[in-house]
Amino acid sequence: MKTSSVRQELEHARDRGPLRQIQIPPCPELLQQLRAVMATAEPDLNQVARIAEADVAMSATLLRLANSPLHLPVGSLPCTSVGVAMTRIGLEESAQTMANFLLRHAIPVKSTQLMRFWERSTKRAIAMRFIASQLPGMSPDLAYSHGLFCHVGMPVLLQSVRGYGATMVEAAARIDRPYIATENANHRTDHAVVGALVVKVWNLAPQLMAAIRLHHDFEALRDETVEPEIRTLIAAGLVAEHLMRRHEGLDEDADWAHNHGAALAWLHLDGDELAQWDEALRPLLDQA
């Protein structure tokens, strides 16, 4: 399925299908400003800092990160300004942290069915950014965004669709079919489709839209009509989820059991390299 096909599918479902009832929160204005600055050839740190300073809580988030053991050099004084914090963290990671903050507040999660949702989304994004650092040519920003937005369809469905909370409980308990199969049986759509719709409505990267739409469709890894960048995001997403589960002490899930061979083959990754990634990623997830 090509990016254009995903867009057409979403438009059709939005106009005449099951997505008509879905309420997509508007993209935060500060996120639009941030994306515009970061899309320039040489993003201006001062402009990004001004966007951060427009929200006191977002500024505090950057300061807290800059003064965490992950970024504060031994013997250094804590920084007290957003500009210094961003210099210490780095422009790209600062922008990703801000995007994370803005997304959390645009789509709040208060349901018991989604406890730790944004915590796990952040860890998935960090894992994706790490994987991008290990794969030449993979965009760290696109990878981070994929990790962050991957399951965003779940809280949107929970807010828009009656009975979706019960569907989540059922889908997690069933072992006879995939999670999204239960979603579709009950609601004629699933969180992958709705997550892709959020990305489309917010006018984010088309590759991100397609990868989120297909992130449970692992046949895409073998489909030559799917763009290579999208296949890489899908494969990396499966690896990221696996490494997160290992960090949390959880057993491997069915997606990994059935599809890890195709994902590792697409990424040209062997078991020894995966074990090295696991070891290197753990300290980053500990800090998240």
Side-chain angles (χ1 to χ4, degrees), residues 105-154:
H105 286 76
I107 307 176
V109 176
K110 300 177 182 178
S111 169
T112 55
Q113 288 99 332
L114 288 174
M115 290 179 64
R116 299 179 59 241
F117 178 83
W118 286 120
E119 178 186 338
R120 295 197 84 252
S121 294
T122 299
K123 289 187 175 184
R124 186 181 300 105
I126 290 170
M128 286 291 288
R129 182 173 62 203
F130 169 82
I131 291 171
S133 74
Q134 307 299 307
L135 297 176
M138 187 176 187
S139 164
D141 182 63
L142 199 58
Y144 186 91
S145 296
H146 183 274
L148 200 58
F149 280 85
C150 190
H151 290 161
V152 77
M154 290 182 176

mmCIF file of all heavy atoms in Angstrom, residues 105-154:
data_model
loop_
_atom_site.group_PDB
_atom_site.id
_atom_site.type_symbol
_atom_site.label_atom_id
_atom_site.label_comp_id
_atom_site.label_asym_id
_atom_site.label_seq_id
_atom_site.Cartn_x
_atom_site.Cartn_y
_atom_site.Cartn_z
ATOM 1 N N HIS A 105 -0.496 16.994 25.976
ATOM 2 C CA HIS A 105 -1.520 17.927 26.436
ATOM 3 C C HIS A 105 -2.651 18.101 25.413
ATOM 4 O O HIS A 105 -3.764 18.466 25.782
ATOM 5 C CB HIS A 105 -0.879 19.273 26.782
ATOM 6 C CG HIS A 105 -0.097 19.223 28.068
ATOM 7 N ND1 HIS A 105 1.147 18.636 28.144
ATOM 8 C CD2 HIS A 105 -0.399 19.644 29.323
ATOM 9 C CE1 HIS A 105 1.586 18.712 29.393
ATOM 10 N NE2 HIS A 105 0.675 19.313 30.123
ATOM 11 N N ALA A 106 -2.364 17.818 24.149
ATOM 12 C CA ALA A 106 -3.420 17.898 23.135
ATOM 13 C C ALA A 106 -4.362 16.705 23.229
ATOM 14 O O ALA A 106 -5.555 16.813 22.934
ATOM 15 C CB ALA A 106 -2.808 17.974 21.741
ATOM 16 N N ILE A 107 -3.810 15.540 23.621
ATOM 17 C CA ILE A 107 -4.600 14.315 23.727
ATOM 18 C C ILE A 107 -4.390 13.738 25.122
ATOM 19 O O ILE A 107 -3.603 12.799 25.309
ATOM 20 C CB ILE A 107 -4.211 13.297 22.634
ATOM 21 C CG1 ILE A 107 -4.288 13.943 21.246
ATOM 22 C CG2 ILE A 107 -5.107 12.066 22.686
ATOM 23 C CD1 ILE A 107 -3.843 13.053 20.112
ATOM 24 N N PRO A 108 -5.047 14.300 26.128
ATOM 25 C CA PRO A 108 -4.860 13.807 27.501
ATOM 26 C C PRO A 108 -5.427 12.406 27.672
ATOM 27 O O PRO A 108 -6.396 12.024 27.018
ATOM 28 C CB PRO A 108 -5.629 14.836 28.348
ATOM 29 C CG PRO A 108 -6.638 15.410 27.416
ATOM 30 C CD PRO A 108 -6.007 15.407 26.058
ATOM 31 N N VAL A 109 -4.803 11.637 28.538
ATOM 32 C CA VAL A 109 -5.228 10.265 28.802
ATOM 33 C C VAL A 109 -5.513 10.133 30.293
ATOM 34 O O VAL A 109 -4.611 10.283 31.112
ATOM 35 C CB VAL A 109 -4.137 9.253 28.377
ATOM 36 C CG1 VAL A 109 -4.560 7.839 28.755
ATOM 37 C CG2 VAL A 109 -3.882 9.347 26.883
ATOM 38 N N LYS A 110 -6.771 9.872 30.628
ATOM 39 C CA LYS A 110 -7.169 9.764 32.032
ATOM 40 C C LYS A 110 -7.822 8.423 32.342
ATOM 41 O O LYS A 110 -8.321 8.215 33.440
ATOM 42 C CB LYS A 110 -8.127 10.905 32.385
ATOM 43 C CG LYS A 110 -7.528 12.296 32.195
ATOM 44 C CD LYS A 110 -8.535 13.391 32.497
ATOM 45 C CE LYS A 110 -7.928 14.769 32.261
ATOM 46 N NZ LYS A 110 -8.904 15.861 32.498
ATOM 47 N N SER A 111 -7.833 7.519 31.401
ATOM 48 C CA SER A 111 -8.519 6.246 31.560
ATOM 49 C C SER A 111 -7.625 5.206 32.221
ATOM 50 O O SER A 111 -6.414 5.151 31.966
ATOM 51 C CB SER A 111 -8.966 5.733 30.190
ATOM 52 O OG SER A 111 -9.397 4.399 30.264
ATOM 53 N N THR A 112 -8.229 4.356 33.033
ATOM 54 C CA THR A 112 -7.475 3.270 33.658
ATOM 55 C C THR A 112 -7.013 2.250 32.619
ATOM 56 O O THR A 112 -6.024 1.558 32.839
ATOM 57 C CB THR A 112 -8.332 2.562 34.715
ATOM 58 O OG1 THR A 112 -9.565 2.117 34.111
ATOM 59 C CG2 THR A 112 -8.668 3.489 35.865
ATOM 60 N N GLN A 113 -7.734 2.158 31.478
ATOM 61 C CA GLN A 113 -7.313 1.214 30.438
ATOM 62 C C GLN A 113 -6.012 1.636 29.775
ATOM 63 O O GLN A 113 -5.353 0.827 29.121
ATOM 64 C CB GLN A 113 -8.391 1.073 29.349
ATOM 65 C CG GLN A 113 -9.632 0.313 29.793
ATOM 66 C CD GLN A 113 -10.742 1.274 30.173
ATOM 67 O OE1 GLN A 113 -10.482 2.395 30.605
ATOM 68 N NE2 GLN A 113 -11.974 0.841 30.024
ATOM 69 N N LEU A 114 -5.642 2.903 29.931
ATOM 70 C CA LEU A 114 -4.422 3.401 29.284
ATOM 71 C C LEU A 114 -3.444 3.973 30.306
ATOM 72 O O LEU A 114 -2.771 4.962 30.048
ATOM 73 C CB LEU A 114 -4.783 4.465 28.238
ATOM 74 C CG LEU A 114 -5.461 3.939 26.974
ATOM 75 C CD1 LEU A 114 -5.896 5.088 26.076
ATOM 76 C CD2 LEU A 114 -4.543 2.997 26.214
ATOM 77 N N MET A 115 -3.360 3.332 31.450
ATOM 78 C CA MET A 115 -2.373 3.763 32.439
ATOM 79 C C MET A 115 -0.964 3.659 31.839
ATOM 80 O O MET A 115 -0.651 2.724 31.128
ATOM 81 C CB MET A 115 -2.465 2.885 33.701
ATOM 82 C CG MET A 115 -3.729 3.110 34.516
ATOM 83 S SD MET A 115 -3.799 2.048 35.978
ATOM 84 C CE MET A 115 -2.371 2.668 36.889
ATOM 85 N N ARG A 116 -0.149 4.662 32.099
ATOM 86 C CA ARG A 116 1.243 4.720 31.618
ATOM 87 C C ARG A 116 1.312 4.868 30.100
ATOM 88 O O ARG A 116 2.360 4.607 29.493
ATOM 89 C CB ARG A 116 2.033 3.481 32.058
ATOM 90 C CG ARG A 116 2.149 3.297 33.556
ATOM 91 C CD ARG A 116 2.929 2.045 33.940
ATOM 92 N NE ARG A 116 4.260 2.073 33.397
ATOM 93 C CZ ARG A 116 4.734 1.161 32.529
ATOM 94 N NH1 ARG A 116 3.965 0.177 32.104
ATOM 95 N NH2 ARG A 116 5.971 1.229 32.080
ATOM 96 N N PHE A 117 0.219 5.312 29.449
ATOM 97 C CA PHE A 117 0.231 5.395 27.990
ATOM 98 C C PHE A 117 1.340 6.314 27.489
ATOM 99 O O PHE A 117 2.146 5.934 26.633
ATOM 100 C CB PHE A 117 -1.131 5.887 27.474
ATOM 101 C CG PHE A 117 -1.167 6.044 25.982
ATOM 102 C CD1 PHE A 117 -1.408 4.962 25.173
ATOM 103 C CD2 PHE A 117 -0.940 7.284 25.382
ATOM 104 C CE1 PHE A 117 -1.436 5.091 23.778
ATOM 105 C CE2 PHE A 117 -0.961 7.426 24.001
ATOM 106 C CZ PHE A 117 -1.211 6.331 23.212
ATOM 107 N N TRP A 118 1.388 7.548 28.007
ATOM 108 C CA TRP A 118 2.383 8.481 27.501
ATOM 109 C C TRP A 118 3.785 8.132 27.976
ATOM 110 O O TRP A 118 4.772 8.400 27.282
ATOM 111 C CB TRP A 118 2.022 9.913 27.880
ATOM 112 C CG TRP A 118 0.889 10.442 27.064
ATOM 113 C CD1 TRP A 118 -0.323 10.888 27.484
ATOM 114 C CD2 TRP A 118 0.865 10.553 25.619
ATOM 115 N NE1 TRP A 118 -1.103 11.262 26.419
ATOM 116 C CE2 TRP A 118 -0.408 11.072 25.269
ATOM 117 C CE3 TRP A 118 1.777 10.258 24.619
ATOM 118 C CZ2 TRP A 118 -0.765 11.305 23.950
ATOM 119 C CZ3 TRP A 118 1.419 10.485 23.302
ATOM 120 C CH2 TRP A 118 0.164 11.010 22.981
ATOM 121 N N GLU A 119 3.896 7.513 29.142
ATOM 122 C CA GLU A 119 5.221 7.050 29.589
ATOM 123 C C GLU A 119 5.771 6.012 28.623
ATOM 124 O O GLU A 119 6.934 6.074 28.212
ATOM 125 C CB GLU A 119 5.098 6.454 30.992
ATOM 126 C CG GLU A 119 6.407 5.887 31.537
ATOM 127 C CD GLU A 119 6.225 5.169 32.865
ATOM 128 O OE1 GLU A 119 5.218 5.445 33.566
ATOM 129 O OE2 GLU A 119 7.077 4.330 33.194
ATOM 130 N N ARG A 120 4.929 5.063 28.219
ATOM 131 C CA ARG A 120 5.377 4.039 27.286
ATOM 132 C C ARG A 120 5.587 4.622 25.890
ATOM 133 O O ARG A 120 6.500 4.202 25.170
ATOM 134 C CB ARG A 120 4.381 2.876 27.215
ATOM 135 C CG ARG A 120 4.257 2.106 28.506
ATOM 136 C CD ARG A 120 3.618 0.741 28.338
ATOM 137 N NE ARG A 120 4.606 -0.258 27.939
ATOM 138 C CZ ARG A 120 4.665 -0.796 26.724
ATOM 139 N NH1 ARG A 120 3.820 -0.412 25.777
ATOM 140 N NH2 ARG A 120 5.577 -1.714 26.443
ATOM 141 N N SER A 121 4.765 5.593 25.508
ATOM 142 C CA SER A 121 4.959 6.236 24.203
ATOM 143 C C SER A 121 6.307 6.948 24.160
ATOM 144 O O SER A 121 7.014 6.896 23.140
ATOM 145 C CB SER A 121 3.819 7.228 23.933
ATOM 146 O OG SER A 121 2.584 6.564 23.799
ATOM 147 N N THR A 122 6.663 7.607 25.253
ATOM 148 C CA THR A 122 7.957 8.285 25.315
ATOM 149 C C THR A 122 9.100 7.288 25.214
ATOM 150 O O THR A 122 10.080 7.506 24.487
ATOM 151 C CB THR A 122 8.072 9.097 26.620
ATOM 152 O OG1 THR A 122 7.032 10.080 26.650
ATOM 153 C CG2 THR A 122 9.420 9.788 26.721
ATOM 154 N N LYS A 123 8.978 6.179 25.921
ATOM 155 C CA LYS A 123 10.033 5.163 25.862
ATOM 156 C C LYS A 123 10.137 4.562 24.460
ATOM 157 O O LYS A 123 11.237 4.295 23.965
ATOM 158 C CB LYS A 123 9.771 4.077 26.902
ATOM 159 C CG LYS A 123 10.003 4.542 28.332
ATOM 160 C CD LYS A 123 9.892 3.406 29.328
ATOM 161 C CE LYS A 123 10.243 3.897 30.725
ATOM 162 N NZ LYS A 123 10.250 2.824 31.728
ATOM 163 N N ARG A 124 8.995 4.358 23.829
ATOM 164 C CA ARG A 124 9.020 3.834 22.456
ATOM 165 C C ARG A 124 9.698 4.829 21.521
ATOM 166 O O ARG A 124 10.483 4.444 20.639
ATOM 167 C CB ARG A 124 7.592 3.545 21.982
ATOM 168 C CG ARG A 124 7.524 2.857 20.622
ATOM 169 C CD ARG A 124 6.080 2.625 20.180
ATOM 170 N NE ARG A 124 5.344 1.799 21.115
ATOM 171 C CZ ARG A 124 4.426 2.264 21.964
ATOM 172 N NH1 ARG A 124 4.114 3.571 21.978
ATOM 173 N NH2 ARG A 124 3.799 1.448 22.774
ATOM 174 N N ALA A 125 9.411 6.111 21.709
ATOM 175 C CA ALA A 125 10.036 7.142 20.880
ATOM 176 C C ALA A 125 11.541 7.175 21.098
ATOM 177 O O ALA A 125 12.321 7.310 20.141
ATOM 178 C CB ALA A 125 9.419 8.503 21.187
ATOM 179 N N ILE A 126 11.975 7.054 22.348
ATOM 180 C CA ILE A 126 13.415 7.034 22.655
ATOM 181 C C ILE A 126 14.068 5.812 22.021
ATOM 182 O O ILE A 126 15.170 5.900 21.454
ATOM 183 C CB ILE A 126 13.623 7.051 24.178
ATOM 184 C CG1 ILE A 126 13.238 8.425 24.737
ATOM 185 C CG2 ILE A 126 15.062 6.705 24.545
ATOM 186 C CD1 ILE A 126 13.181 8.491 26.251
ATOM 187 N N ALA A 127 13.392 4.670 22.101
ATOM 188 C CA ALA A 127 13.933 3.460 21.482
ATOM 189 C C ALA A 127 14.042 3.626 19.973
ATOM 190 O O ALA A 127 15.038 3.214 19.352
ATOM 191 C CB ALA A 127 13.043 2.262 21.823
ATOM 192 N N MET A 128 13.040 4.253 19.362
ATOM 193 C CA MET A 128 13.080 4.478 17.916
ATOM 194 C C MET A 128 14.207 5.433 17.538
ATOM 195 O O MET A 128 14.901 5.222 16.531
ATOM 196 C CB MET A 128 11.736 5.014 17.437
ATOM 197 C CG MET A 128 10.625 3.984 17.393
ATOM 198 S SD MET A 128 10.859 2.730 16.107
ATOM 199 C CE MET A 128 10.529 3.683 14.624
ATOM 200 N N ARG A 129 14.395 6.486 18.328
ATOM 201 C CA ARG A 129 15.488 7.411 18.043
ATOM 202 C C ARG A 129 16.842 6.700 18.154
ATOM 203 O O ARG A 129 17.756 6.923 17.338
ATOM 204 C CB ARG A 129 15.431 8.596 18.996
ATOM 205 C CG ARG A 129 16.515 9.660 18.733
ATOM 206 C CD ARG A 129 16.282 10.878 19.593
ATOM 207 N NE ARG A 129 16.353 10.555 21.011
ATOM 208 C CZ ARG A 129 15.780 11.278 21.983
ATOM 209 N NH1 ARG A 129 15.062 12.342 21.674
ATOM 210 N NH2 ARG A 129 15.902 10.934 23.243
ATOM 211 N N PHE A 130 16.980 5.834 19.151
ATOM 212 C CA PHE A 130 18.215 5.060 19.298
ATOM 213 C C PHE A 130 18.435 4.169 18.076
ATOM 214 O O PHE A 130 19.544 4.107 17.529
ATOM 215 C CB PHE A 130 18.161 4.198 20.565
ATOM 216 C CG PHE A 130 19.269 3.192 20.655
ATOM 217 C CD1 PHE A 130 20.518 3.562 21.113
ATOM 218 C CD2 PHE A 130 19.072 1.872 20.230
ATOM 219 C CE1 PHE A 130 21.564 2.637 21.167
ATOM 220 C CE2 PHE A 130 20.101 0.947 20.281
ATOM 221 C CZ PHE A 130 21.345 1.330 20.752
ATOM 222 N N ILE A 131 17.388 3.475 17.642
ATOM 223 C CA ILE A 131 17.519 2.596 16.478
ATOM 224 C C ILE A 131 17.929 3.405 15.246
ATOM 225 O O ILE A 131 18.784 2.970 14.461
ATOM 226 C CB ILE A 131 16.199 1.840 16.237
ATOM 227 C CG1 ILE A 131 15.964 0.829 17.356
ATOM 228 C CG2 ILE A 131 16.197 1.149 14.883
ATOM 229 C CD1 ILE A 131 14.587 0.172 17.344
ATOM 230 N N ALA A 132 17.344 4.592 15.091
ATOM 231 C CA ALA A 132 17.716 5.440 13.957
ATOM 232 C C ALA A 132 19.192 5.817 14.004
ATOM 233 O O ALA A 132 19.837 5.948 12.958
ATOM 234 C CB ALA A 132 16.852 6.700 13.940
ATOM 235 N N SER A 133 19.720 5.985 15.206
ATOM 236 C CA SER A 133 21.145 6.327 15.333
ATOM 237 C C SER A 133 22.042 5.165 14.908
ATOM 238 O O SER A 133 23.230 5.373 14.626
ATOM 239 C CB SER A 133 21.470 6.734 16.774
ATOM 240 O OG SER A 133 21.499 5.603 17.642
ATOM 241 N N GLN A 134 21.492 3.956 14.864
ATOM 242 C CA GLN A 134 22.267 2.777 14.488
ATOM 243 C C GLN A 134 22.096 2.398 13.018
ATOM 244 O O GLN A 134 22.833 1.552 12.515
ATOM 245 C CB GLN A 134 21.838 1.572 15.348
ATOM 246 C CG GLN A 134 21.877 1.805 16.846
ATOM 247 C CD GLN A 134 23.257 2.134 17.344
ATOM 248 O OE1 GLN A 134 24.219 1.405 17.081
ATOM 249 N NE2 GLN A 134 23.381 3.249 18.067
ATOM 250 N N LEU A 135 21.127 3.016 12.347
ATOM 251 C CA LEU A 135 20.827 2.655 10.960
ATOM 252 C C LEU A 135 21.122 3.831 10.041
ATOM 253 O O LEU A 135 20.412 4.842 10.083
ATOM 254 C CB LEU A 135 19.356 2.254 10.819
ATOM 255 C CG LEU A 135 18.911 1.016 11.594
ATOM 256 C CD1 LEU A 135 17.413 0.808 11.433
ATOM 257 C CD2 LEU A 135 19.672 -0.224 11.128
ATOM 258 N N PRO A 136 22.153 3.762 9.219
ATOM 259 C CA PRO A 136 22.482 4.864 8.318
ATOM 260 C C PRO A 136 21.298 5.229 7.420
ATOM 261 O O PRO A 136 20.637 4.355 6.852
ATOM 262 C CB PRO A 136 23.648 4.294 7.484
ATOM 263 C CG PRO A 136 24.226 3.210 8.328
ATOM 264 C CD PRO A 136 23.072 2.624 9.076
ATOM 265 N N GLY A 137 21.019 6.523 7.353
ATOM 266 C CA GLY A 137 19.972 6.998 6.460
ATOM 267 C C GLY A 137 18.597 7.082 7.073
ATOM 268 O O GLY A 137 17.675 7.621 6.451
ATOM 269 N N MET A 138 18.422 6.577 8.298
ATOM 270 C CA MET A 138 17.108 6.645 8.935
ATOM 271 C C MET A 138 16.981 7.964 9.686
ATOM 272 O O MET A 138 17.862 8.327 10.471
ATOM 273 C CB MET A 138 16.907 5.475 9.904
ATOM 274 C CG MET A 138 15.497 5.398 10.468
ATOM 275 S SD MET A 138 15.255 3.937 11.524
ATOM 276 C CE MET A 138 13.484 4.051 11.829
ATOM 277 N N SER A 139 15.896 8.680 9.465
ATOM 278 C CA SER A 139 15.681 9.985 10.083
ATOM 279 C C SER A 139 15.368 9.829 11.567
ATOM 280 O O SER A 139 14.355 9.215 11.928
ATOM 281 C CB SER A 139 14.524 10.717 9.397
ATOM 282 O OG SER A 139 14.059 11.789 10.195
ATOM 283 N N PRO A 140 16.198 10.390 12.472
ATOM 284 C CA PRO A 140 15.907 10.304 13.912
ATOM 285 C C PRO A 140 14.592 10.988 14.271
ATOM 286 O O PRO A 140 13.850 10.502 15.136
ATOM 287 C CB PRO A 140 17.097 11.019 14.564
ATOM 288 C CG PRO A 140 18.183 10.967 13.549
ATOM 289 C CD PRO A 140 17.500 11.026 12.217
ATOM 290 N N ASP A 141 14.292 12.105 13.605
ATOM 291 C CA ASP A 141 13.057 12.822 13.909
ATOM 292 C C ASP A 141 11.834 12.011 13.497
ATOM 293 O O ASP A 141 10.854 11.911 14.252
ATOM 294 C CB ASP A 141 13.055 14.179 13.197
ATOM 295 C CG ASP A 141 11.810 14.992 13.515
ATOM 296 O OD1 ASP A 141 11.627 15.340 14.695
ATOM 297 O OD2 ASP A 141 11.024 15.269 12.596
ATOM 298 N N LEU A 142 11.877 11.414 12.315
ATOM 299 C CA LEU A 142 10.765 10.595 11.851
ATOM 300 C C LEU A 142 10.612 9.359 12.732
ATOM 301 O O LEU A 142 9.487 8.962 13.069
ATOM 302 C CB LEU A 142 10.989 10.186 10.392
ATOM 303 C CG LEU A 142 9.772 9.719 9.593
ATOM 304 C CD1 LEU A 142 8.688 10.787 9.563
ATOM 305 C CD2 LEU A 142 10.187 9.337 8.177
ATOM 306 N N ALA A 143 11.739 8.778 13.119
ATOM 307 C CA ALA A 143 11.696 7.604 13.986
ATOM 308 C C ALA A 143 11.089 7.949 15.338
ATOM 309 O O ALA A 143 10.233 7.222 15.860
ATOM 310 C CB ALA A 143 13.105 7.044 14.171
ATOM 311 N N TYR A 144 11.511 9.064 15.929
ATOM 312 C CA TYR A 144 10.987 9.488 17.225
ATOM 313 C C TYR A 144 9.478 9.741 17.113
ATOM 314 O O TYR A 144 8.700 9.308 17.975
ATOM 315 C CB TYR A 144 11.708 10.739 17.685
ATOM 316 C CG TYR A 144 11.349 11.185 19.093
ATOM 317 C CD1 TYR A 144 12.077 10.733 20.193
ATOM 318 C CD2 TYR A 144 10.291 12.058 19.324
ATOM 319 C CE1 TYR A 144 11.750 11.129 21.481
ATOM 320 C CE2 TYR A 144 9.953 12.456 20.605
ATOM 321 C CZ TYR A 144 10.697 12.000 21.682
ATOM 322 O OH TYR A 144 10.357 12.391 22.953
ATOM 323 N N SER A 145 9.073 10.417 16.064
ATOM 324 C CA SER A 145 7.649 10.713 15.877
ATOM 325 C C SER A 145 6.841 9.434 15.724
ATOM 326 O O SER A 145 5.722 9.322 16.243
ATOM 327 C CB SER A 145 7.447 11.613 14.654
ATOM 328 O OG SER A 145 8.049 12.870 14.845
ATOM 329 N N HIS A 146 7.393 8.458 15.027
ATOM 330 C CA HIS A 146 6.686 7.184 14.869
ATOM 331 C C HIS A 146 6.470 6.540 16.231
ATOM 332 O O HIS A 146 5.374 6.046 16.533
ATOM 333 C CB HIS A 146 7.478 6.252 13.961
ATOM 334 C CG HIS A 146 6.785 4.948 13.691
ATOM 335 N ND1 HIS A 146 6.896 3.861 14.525
ATOM 336 C CD2 HIS A 146 5.959 4.561 12.694
ATOM 337 C CE1 HIS A 146 6.183 2.864 14.054
ATOM 338 N NE2 HIS A 146 5.602 3.261 12.937
ATOM 339 N N GLY A 147 7.498 6.525 17.064
ATOM 340 C CA GLY A 147 7.344 5.945 18.389
ATOM 341 C C GLY A 147 6.323 6.678 19.228
ATOM 342 O O GLY A 147 5.554 6.072 19.984
ATOM 343 N N LEU A 148 6.273 7.990 19.077
ATOM 344 C CA LEU A 148 5.375 8.823 19.878
ATOM 345 C C LEU A 148 3.921 8.690 19.424
ATOM 346 O O LEU A 148 2.999 8.597 20.236
ATOM 347 C CB LEU A 148 5.827 10.280 19.773
ATOM 348 C CG LEU A 148 5.366 11.256 20.853
ATOM 349 C CD1 LEU A 148 5.791 10.796 22.231
ATOM 350 C CD2 LEU A 148 5.937 12.642 20.557
ATOM 351 N N PHE A 149 3.699 8.668 18.118
ATOM 352 C CA PHE A 149 2.341 8.660 17.568
ATOM 353 C C PHE A 149 1.797 7.258 17.306
ATOM 354 O O PHE A 149 0.623 7.121 16.961
ATOM 355 C CB PHE A 149 2.301 9.444 16.250
ATOM 356 C CG PHE A 149 2.239 10.934 16.397
ATOM 357 C CD1 PHE A 149 3.389 11.682 16.560
ATOM 358 C CD2 PHE A 149 1.018 11.609 16.374
ATOM 359 C CE1 PHE A 149 3.345 13.064 16.696
ATOM 360 C CE2 PHE A 149 0.961 12.987 16.509
ATOM 361 C CZ PHE A 149 2.128 13.713 16.673
ATOM 362 N N CYS A 150 2.628 6.247 17.470
ATOM 363 C CA CYS A 150 2.277 4.896 17.030
ATOM 364 C C CYS A 150 0.900 4.434 17.505
ATOM 365 O O CYS A 150 0.103 3.923 16.727
ATOM 366 C CB CYS A 150 3.355 3.924 17.509
ATOM 367 S SG CYS A 150 3.232 2.285 16.823
ATOM 368 N N HIS A 151 0.596 4.620 18.785
ATOM 369 C CA HIS A 151 -0.658 4.132 19.355
ATOM 370 C C HIS A 151 -1.607 5.262 19.733
ATOM 371 O O HIS A 151 -2.522 5.055 20.537
ATOM 372 C CB HIS A 151 -0.369 3.250 20.573
ATOM 373 C CG HIS A 151 0.256 1.937 20.223
ATOM 374 N ND1 HIS A 151 0.933 1.154 21.138
ATOM 375 C CD2 HIS A 151 0.321 1.271 19.039
ATOM 376 C CE1 HIS A 151 1.379 0.069 20.538
ATOM 377 N NE2 HIS A 151 1.026 0.119 19.263
ATOM 378 N N VAL A 152 -1.387 6.447 19.164
ATOM 379 C CA VAL A 152 -2.199 7.601 19.547
ATOM 380 C C VAL A 152 -3.677 7.410 19.182
ATOM 381 O O VAL A 152 -4.555 8.066 19.757
ATOM 382 C CB VAL A 152 -1.629 8.878 18.904
ATOM 383 C CG1 VAL A 152 -1.994 8.976 17.428
ATOM 384 C CG2 VAL A 152 -2.072 10.125 19.651
ATOM 385 N N GLY A 153 -3.953 6.493 18.278
ATOM 386 C CA GLY A 153 -5.342 6.213 17.935
ATOM 387 C C GLY A 153 -6.146 5.659 19.102
ATOM 388 O O GLY A 153 -7.378 5.814 19.140
ATOM 389 N N MET A 154 -5.473 5.036 20.064
ATOM 390 C CA MET A 154 -6.199 4.434 21.192
ATOM 391 C C MET A 154 -6.905 5.479 22.055
ATOM 392 O O MET A 154 -8.118 5.358 22.284
ATOM 393 C CB MET A 154 -5.254 3.577 22.027
ATOM 394 C CG MET A 154 -4.803 2.306 21.349
ATOM 395 S SD MET A 154 -3.746 1.316 22.415
ATOM 396 C CE MET A 154 -3.515 -0.134 21.378
#
